[in-house]
Amino acid sequence: MPPAHPFDDDKLKEECGVFGVVGVTDAANFVALGLHALQHRGQEAGGIVSHHPDHGFNSARRFGYVRDNFTSHKLMETLPGELAIGHVRYSTAGSKGQTQIRDVQPFFGEFSMGGAAIAHNGNITNADALRKELIDRGSIFQSSSDSECIIHLMARSLQRDIPSRMEDALRRVEGAFSVVAMTRTKLIGVRDPLGVRPLVLGKIADGYALSSETCALDIIGAEYVREIEPGEMVVITADKGVESLHPFRPQKSRFCIFEHVYFSRPDSIIGDRSVYETRRQIGVELARETPVEADLVCPVPDSGTPAAIGYAHESGIPYGMGIIRNQYMGRTFIEPTEQIRNMGVRLKLNVNRALIKGKRVVLVDDSVVRGTTSRKIKEMILDAGAAEVHFRIASPPTSWPCFYGVDTPQREKLLAATMSEDEMRDHLGVDSIKFISLDGLYRAVGESSGRDNTSPQYCDACFSGEYPIEPSDMLEKGFEMKAAE
């Protein structure tokens, strides 16, 4: 694929999206719709595997958007059956930005008791060690993806059926995973013991669906049933329904708090809470913690919009669409000249000059990563005649990399890892920049007492540097953890 537009380089990249359906005619078509709803979680490539009793397993893997590949009647005819799984990818492990088609999931393996396909959202933190061990024992890897380790571990298991082999394999795996897999007759879903990555169950007609988010259930008309619990495995068949197993030692949940801030779509539900409402409440907390005298609250579209609405409501400062996003500016825009490239953010965002001119503007964004986009947006606002620019950020400073399925820059490239708040203000050239506190973020997601520092309720390692799962591969490569306080 062509490179992402510069605007996309300054955001944490969504992990991946998984979706599966059993017990419906032309299941692959439902999976394609589900993946389309999960496109925000991965725009690099996608794949679908289906099974039909007469035709066996069939797969299709393509680079690019779901809409550009899996809407072809000719292609979808090659994926028959009432059971299918799919995956949309953003490369969090393997050859980032140089993905080969062999890296695109779902992965498929043929075992003595039949075939199985697997799609994985997350990151295996001991993948390097596992890969070395498996290769030393004769395994031949086809991809650079950490997820392929699961297939090889399943192949080496001595268990007699595929779900049991998957249990065996996942007990060897460290890190974060939500897995959707399939055999000839079964749809399988598993979450890691800490429940870092999301996975939900839905009911559609006589069948069932598994999805990374509830918004993808909506698109196929499925009823949301519940979240798959941390450490739970569900084995689903069209005739017997859902069997629930708990193969791992119970642990306290540490769901990724950044799903609330940015990754999930605002129309999804997490833990019985509307993501939109949580983001609006983040804006409310942000206004309480970081008041400023201003004339206009303006979101950085689109991810800053709910928080900006909450900030404006709580502060009493009028809300306005001071920046307009060009909805037709895709990631694959051809940038033929240096002059065009230097336009940067302006290809995607344009300032509403009539609204901005002469105003003291509060710009609300979801996060600051490298700060490159924030500087460009500030310049656009000032060029349009704004009197002052105040950044308000709907997450705490992102000062540590994520190793659980999110593509984060190295720590030294994170603005908050190398600068204080005042230094960031001067670096960005704004009148002020303030972030929501970690306690404020926890209150916004429903923890009224804030963060429990002795036993945090969420994974917030990108903000706190406290990793609930030791990133063993990265430690081997020299990564230094936060010193104990």
Side-chain angles (χ1 to χ4, degrees):
M1 285 182 68
H5 187 271
F7 178 75
D8 299 303
D9 290 344
D10 200 29
K11 292 291 183 186
L12 297 184
K13 297 301 190 297
E14 301 87 338
E15 319 88 14
C16 291
V18 293
F19 196 83
V21 173
V22 64
V24 296
T25 304
D26 297 325
N29 288 325
F30 287 88
V31 171
L33 287 168
L35 294 181
H36 178 71
L38 298 174
Q39 189 77 84
H40 59 288
R41 300 184 75 88
Q43 295 101 42
E44 196 170 69
I48 297 176
V49 174
S50 72
H51 182 270
H52 188 280
D54 299 330
H55 303 285
F57 287 93
N58 290 279
S59 69
R61 295 184 285 179
R62 299 288 190 274
F63 290 120
Y65 289 129
V66 174
R67 71 178 184 221
D68 295 332
N69 294 300
F70 296 100
T71 51
S72 161
H73 181 67
K74 186 176 180 181
L75 175 64
M76 298 311 292
E77 278 187 327
T78 68
L79 299 168
E82 296 186 357
L83 174 56
I85 65 171
H87 184 272
V88 284
R89 168 188 172 89
Y90 185 84
S91 53
T92 58
S95 50
K96 292 189 182 76
Q98 302 173 16
T99 300
Q100 306 295 317
I101 197 68
R102 62 177 178 267
D103 294 324
V104 180
Q105 299 184 44
F107 292 130
F108 177 79
E110 195 72 61
F111 306 107
S112 57
M113 69 286 294
I118 184 168
H120 166 224
N121 167 25
N123 236 39
I124 298 172
T125 55
N126 64 335
D128 290 351
L130 287 174
R131 179 181 282 257
K132 183 179 185 303
E133 174 193 321
L134 288 161
I135 289 173
D136 287 347
R137 292 184 177 184
S139 293
I140 300 171
F141 279 75
Q142 301 295 315
S143 77
S144 65
S145 173
D146 61 336
S147 309
E148 193 183 348
C149 290
I150 300 170
I151 287 283
H152 288 284
L153 289 168
M154 288 172 64
R156 292 191 166 272
S157 170
L158 300 177
Q159 297 297 323
R160 293 176 178 269
D161 61 75
I162 289 173
S164 298
R165 286 192 174 207
M166 185 173 292
E167 281 186 37
D168 238 10
L170 293 175
R171 286 195 185 101
R172 294 287 318 280
V173 164
E174 297 171 9
F177 55 84
S178 281
V179 168
V180 170
M182 61 182 282
T183 68
R184 288 172 294 187
T185 58
K186 297 179 174 72
L187 177 66
I188 303 168
V190 196
R191 278 182 85 188
D192 68 77
L194 296 182
V196 178
R197 302 264 70 92
L199 190 64
V200 298
L201 173 69
K203 184 81 174 72
I204 175 167
D206 295 327
Y208 292 89
L210 290 169
S211 174
S212 290
E213 290 184 41
T214 62
C215 64
L217 299 178
D218 297 336
I219 200 173
I220 65 167
E223 176 191 356
Y224 169 60
V225 177
R226 64 177 178 87
E227 293 183 352
I228 304 303
E229 296 172 13
E232 182 184 14
M233 170 186 275
V234 290
V235 181
I236 309 170
T237 53
D239 53 344
K240 295 182 180 178
V242 181
E243 178 188 6
S244 174
L245 308 167
H246 288 82
F248 309 106
R249 179 174 58 86
Q251 298 184 52
K252 187 174 183 289
S253 171
R254 294 292 294 275
F255 183 66
C256 170
I257 201 165
F258 214 74
E259 290 280 353
H260 287 287
V261 174
Y262 176 66
F263 291 138
S264 293
R265 256 178 45 172
D267 50 333
S268 283
I269 305 293
I270 296 176
D272 297 324
R273 288 178 63 87
S274 156
V275 173
Y276 172 87
E277 183 53 36
T278 293
R279 289 179 188 166
R280 195 193 69 81
Q281 191 60 34
I282 289 173
V284 170
E285 291 287 343
L286 190 57
R288 291 170 181 167
E289 291 185 348
T290 64
V292 63
E293 289 190 9
D295 306 306
L296 183 71
V297 174
C298 168
V300 176
D302 294 314
S303 53
T305 301
I309 291 170
Y311 193 101
H313 183 267
E314 180 67 17
S315 66
I317 302 169
Y319 170 89
M321 294 295 290
I323 301 175
I324 307 300
R325 186 183 184 101
N326 179 0
Q327 302 294 341
Y328 301 97
M329 169 57 216
R331 287 167 57 95
T332 55
F333 189 91
I334 298 168
E335 298 172 348
T337 67
E338 188 66 25
Q339 182 182 11
I340 293 291
R341 273 190 288 272
N342 287 339
M343 289 181 185
V345 181
R346 295 175 191 270
L347 292 168
K348 275 203 167 178
L349 302 176
N350 193 45
V351 177
N352 186 350
R353 289 175 175 269
L355 189 63
I356 291 291
K357 190 173 181 180
K359 301 278 179 54
R360 298 169 297 174
V361 180
V362 178
L363 285 177
V364 181
D365 204 355
D366 62 90
S367 60
V368 172
V369 182
R370 294 182 182 90
T372 51
T373 298
S374 300
R375 290 186 73 173
K376 292 172 183 173
I377 290 173
K378 177 268 303 185
E379 289 165 5
M380 290 167 58
I381 294 290
L382 289 177
D383 287 348
E388 296 176 6
V389 178
H390 301 272
F391 264 111
R392 293 296 179 267
I393 310 302
S395 61
T398 304
S399 51
W400 293 88
C402 174
F403 301 123
Y404 306 137
V406 181
D407 185 31
T408 322
Q410 293 176 324
R411 185 158 193 254
E412 57 268 22
K413 294 182 179 177
L414 294 169
L415 202 65
T418 58
M419 294 184 185
S420 68
E421 201 170 84
D422 287 344
E423 288 170 335
M424 282 189 269
R425 178 199 64 207
D426 295 342
H427 172 75
L428 296 174
V430 293
D431 293 276
S432 70
I433 181 170
K434 297 290 181 182
F435 298 79
I436 193 171
S437 68
L438 205 46
D439 275 336
L441 177 57
Y442 270 75
R443 286 193 296 271
V445 300
E447 300 290 343
S448 58
S449 300
R451 185 180 193 262
D452 180 351
N453 293 327
T454 59
S455 180
Q457 305 94 314
Y458 287 86
C459 177
D460 54 26
C462 56
F463 307 131
S464 67
E466 297 177 22
Y467 292 92
I469 307 161
E470 187 176 87
S472 51
D473 283 347
M474 297 307 299
L475 292 174
E476 283 286 320
K477 294 174 182 176
F479 176 75
E480 294 185 11
M481 300 270 280
K482 182 180 178 180
E485 295 179 354

